């Protein structure tokens, strides 16, 4: 069975946090999807590496990561992020906060940005939108931040 784990980030999700992302540093958006997230981040004034390559084997030189990764691979992705050691902002379900693996990796080190409303993603299958797909997410997501020097460990965004 093929697992389709391509959910594209709407522009407002990146706009929510644009003021926290350094524009004078090189951002790496490792999960390509349909390529639009790199374009959106560039549109917010960021310098971005965003190419259709394998996150786990990349050799790019960058300053921080900003991404919405495949949720089915979060355990491996967060472990790799910790290993890389660079600052990151990762959009992920709020339920990750209570997993053992996440706590072991980032206890007392993580900062969280809580969006002003639920983020609704666009689903793709084989790189194409699903006809008739209702973009309504059934769970909430946070922006998990590490080494991003936010003004507080918990940042609530308002509408």
């Amino acid at each position: 069975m093929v697992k389709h784990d391509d959910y594209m980030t709407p522009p407002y999700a990146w706009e929510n946090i644009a003021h926290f992302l350094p524009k004078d540093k090189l951002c790496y958006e490792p999960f390509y999807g349909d390529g639009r997230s790199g374009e959106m981040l560039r549109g917010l004034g960021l310098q971005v590496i965003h190419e259709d390559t394998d996150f786990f084997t990349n050799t790019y030189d960058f300053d921080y990561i900003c991404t919405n990764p495949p949720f089915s691979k979060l355990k491996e992705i967060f472990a790799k992020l910790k290993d890389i050691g660079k600052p990151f902002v990762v959009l992920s379900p709020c339920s990750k906060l209570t997993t053992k693996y996440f706590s072991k990796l980032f206890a007392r080190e993580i900062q969280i940005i809580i969006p002003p409303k639920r983020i609704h993603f666009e689903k793709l299958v084989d790189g194409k939108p699903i006809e008739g797909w209702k973009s309504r997410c059934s769970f909430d997501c946070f922006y998990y931040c590490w080494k991003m020097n936010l003004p507080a460990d918990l940042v609530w965004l308002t509408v």
Side-chain angles (χ1 to χ4, degrees):
M1 177 179 195
V2 175
K3 180 152 183 97
H4 296 283
D5 198 14
D6 291 329
Y7 291 86
M8 302 304 103
T9 312
Y12 67 84
W14 298 132
E15 292 163 1
N16 283 345
I17 61 165
H19 58 289
F20 295 113
L21 304 175
K23 293 178 178 48
D24 62 338
K25 298 190 183 286
L26 185 57
C27 175
Y28 174 38
E29 208 301 34
F31 297 98
Y32 195 74
D34 63 1
R36 287 186 293 167
S37 62
E39 293 171 17
M40 287 182 237
L41 291 168
R42 284 184 198 105
L44 296 172
L46 303 177
Q47 304 169 55
V48 181
I49 298 170
H50 186 60
E51 299 173 0
D52 195 4
T53 58
D54 182 6
F55 166 68
F56 296 99
T57 61
N58 86 71
T59 57
Y60 296 122
D61 185 25
F62 56 89
D63 298 305
Y64 69 100
I65 289 175
C66 181
T67 192
N68 168 21
F71 295 168
S72 66
K73 299 177 182 175
L74 285 175
K75 186 174 185 177
E76 297 83 4
I77 290 166
F78 278 118
K80 177 71 173 177
L81 287 168
K82 181 75 177 226
D83 185 53
I84 291 170
K86 300 266 186 155
F88 66 72
V89 175
V90 174
L91 184 58
S92 294
C94 59
S95 60
K96 289 300 127 196
L97 193 58
T98 59
T99 62
K100 285 183 183 180
Y101 77 84
F102 190 83
S103 178
K104 284 181 182 179
L105 288 169
F106 299 108
R108 291 176 287 284
E109 295 180 24
I110 207 75
Q111 293 184 307
I112 295 174
I113 301 172
I114 301 173
K117 63 180 183 175
R118 183 169 286 173
I119 297 171
H120 299 289
F121 304 94
E122 178 186 1
K123 182 172 179 55
L124 300 183
V125 173
D126 297 325
K128 297 181 178 119
I130 298 173
E131 199 169 316
W133 171 263
K134 300 264 192 250
S135 183
R136 293 287 167 232
C137 194
S138 63
F139 55 88
D140 291 302
C141 287
F142 294 153
Y143 301 91
Y144 293 89
C145 305
W146 189 56
K147 297 184 178 181
M148 291 297 294
N149 299 317
L150 298 178
D153 288 340
L154 189 60
V155 177
W156 293 81
L157 300 179
T158 57
V159 183

